[in-house]
Amino acid sequence: MTSSTADITRATVQKFLALRLAGDTEGLTALFADRVDWLLAENPAVPWIRPRSTAAECAAQFTELMEHTVPEDARASVDTFLVDGTDAVLTGHVSGTVRATGKSFEGPFALRLTVEDGRITRHHLYENSRSIAEACAS
């Protein structure tokens, strides 16, 4: 029995979440396509929110996030995980504390991922960027 496109997408996204939780940058780099359609509203006040397009840059976002936030305070929950062919959408809630200021941030998020040939080719994240920018402000 062959896996459907949706099954491959779901398995790849589950692997992405596991690698992200483990902080496995090498594994994430292998999971992202060589070129990625990365969308996260650029925010000059937030060091880890910036344009990215290569597998290594995308995977490094996790490391940069951990450098600038307090890992013990990081929380994320997924409320919805929808898959339609090569596309997956996750919604949930994220919170954390910025290391430099000690201020916290929180809010809902939506993440759209596209998987092609078992690799992530699109990563569009929508989150409460205002709360994060305010937490980064001195």
Side-chain angles (χ1 to χ4, degrees), residues 3-21:
S3 297
S4 73
T5 300
D7 291 338
I8 293 167
T9 298
R10 182 176 300 281
T12 302
V13 173
Q14 288 171 329
K15 183 175 182 180
F16 165 76
L17 295 171
L19 292 168
R20 183 77 194 237
L21 187 62

Side-chain angles (χ1 to χ4, degrees), residues 3-86:
S3 297
S4 73
T5 300
D7 291 338
I8 293 167
T9 298
R10 182 176 300 281
T12 302
V13 173
Q14 288 171 329
K15 183 175 182 180
F16 165 76
L17 295 171
L19 292 168
R20 183 77 194 237
L21 187 62
D24 184 346
T25 304
E26 186 176 317
L28 286 167
T29 301
L31 195 60
F32 279 108
D34 295 339
R35 300 297 294 173
V36 179
D37 175 9
W38 177 277
L39 177 69
L40 181 55
E42 191 172 355
N43 191 332
V46 183
W48 64 89
I49 297 180
R50 60 179 179 78
R52 298 166 192 274
S53 61
T54 68
E57 290 171 344
C58 294
Q61 193 269 343
F62 175 80
T63 303
E64 293 170 21
L65 175 65
M66 290 300 103
E67 289 170 357
H68 294 283
T69 61
V70 179
E72 302 81 41
D73 292 350
R75 302 280 182 272
S77 61
V78 175
D79 303 324
T80 305
F81 181 0
L82 305 171
V83 175
D84 183 14
T86 60

